[in-house]
Amino acid sequence: MRDPNSAIPEEATPALWRRYDEWRAGRHLRFNEKHAGALNSWRNRRGARRLVLTQVTTLTVALAGAVMAFSTMWFAIPFIIGVLGSCAAQYALRIVTGSVADTPVPALDEIQLAQRNSARSIGFFVLYTLMFIPYLILIVLGSRDSVSGQSVYGTGILLITLVVIAVVLPTMLTAWWMNDPDPEDLVTSETERSHG
């Protein structure tokens, strides 16, 4: 399916980009096939929201580590735990949501496409809003005659953390918006498994 919101006419889209989009669509389908039976008990609204809250917790730990980076090198412990936990939660969220947030257009239906576009739009807004925080810190630091290396290092760690938060946000949103599966789909998938 072609993205109806794309500003680029289909005939003006480079062939290389179309092939890349088709490759991404195939990768998405392989990911979903690989994880089709994984985390079935989490593939409902309640399970998805629990995973989102887990993701929020890991991001909060990473953010606490980033704030600590301004004053101590011990920041690495909560920062690394938060980032690794966030990666694990993100992977689980991708499985539960069918990886809708980072799926190319050809692999999505209309509802999924609308959700993906809305989630990405919000994620982009959050990204450029959060980026003002480290930029303002750098402006303040730049107005001083001498700046400690720890402050610059802390700003860099904070920048990384805020980018991670914005990058995982679309998947978190699509998971939060997720509906409970249609009971008919569950019956069909159970029937297919018993015959397979």
Side-chain angles (χ1 to χ4, degrees), residues 53-116:
L53 294 176
T54 301
Q55 178 76 297
V56 168
T57 302
T58 62
L59 292 171
T60 303
V61 171
L63 188 58
V67 171
M68 289 172 60
F70 284 92
S71 59
T72 178
M73 291 307 285
W74 287 101
F75 82 92
I77 295 170
F79 177 73
I80 291 171
I81 290 171
V83 168
L84 292 178
S86 178
C87 289
Q90 177 73 359
Y91 197 78
L93 282 169
R94 286 186 63 214
I95 292 170
V96 166
T97 62
S99 193
V100 169
D102 40 52
T103 301
V105 173
L108 296 173
D109 63 28
E110 290 84 5
I111 294 172
Q112 290 171 329
L113 180 61
Q115 284 183 333
R116 185 202 75 161

Side-chain angles (χ1 to χ4, degrees), residues 39-169:
L39 302 176
N40 283 333
S41 62
W42 293 85
R43 291 179 188 245
N44 55 48
R45 176 174 275 181
R46 185 176 182 188
R49 288 186 173 184
R50 283 182 178 173
L51 282 172
V52 170
L53 294 176
T54 301
Q55 178 76 297
V56 168
T57 302
T58 62
L59 292 171
T60 303
V61 171
L63 188 58
V67 171
M68 289 172 60
F70 284 92
S71 59
T72 178
M73 291 307 285
W74 287 101
F75 82 92
I77 295 170
F79 177 73
I80 291 171
I81 290 171
V83 168
L84 292 178
S86 178
C87 289
Q90 177 73 359
Y91 197 78
L93 282 169
R94 286 186 63 214
I95 292 170
V96 166
T97 62
S99 193
V100 169
D102 40 52
T103 301
V105 173
L108 296 173
D109 63 28
E110 290 84 5
I111 294 172
Q112 290 171 329
L113 180 61
Q115 284 183 333
R116 185 202 75 161
N117 288 347
S118 295
R120 283 183 170 187
S121 177
I122 293 169
F124 179 71
F125 174 77
V126 168
L127 176 65
Y128 78 73
T129 303
L130 289 178
M131 288 305 97
F132 282 103
I133 297 170
Y135 296 158
L136 289 174
I137 292 171
L138 289 173
I139 289 169
V140 170
L141 292 176
S143 67
R144 298 180 181 169
D145 289 335
S146 72
V147 177
S148 73
Q150 190 73 39
S151 296
V152 176
Y153 192 75
T155 305
I157 297 298
L158 180 63
L159 180 64
I160 291 168
T161 306
L162 295 177
V163 168
V164 168
I165 290 170
V167 166
V168 300
L169 185 61

Side-chain angles (χ1 to χ4, degrees), residues 14-26:
L16 180 65
W17 182 259
R18 285 195 301 270
R19 284 196 302 274
Y20 173 67
D21 231 18
E22 289 167 8
W23 173 81
R24 286 179 57 225

Side-chain angles (χ1 to χ4, degrees), residues 21-35:
D21 231 18
E22 289 167 8
W23 173 81
R24 286 179 57 225
R27 188 181 67 167
H28 163 74
L29 294 172
R30 286 189 300 276
F31 178 86
N32 282 341
E33 287 170 7
K34 178 181 176 184
H35 300 291

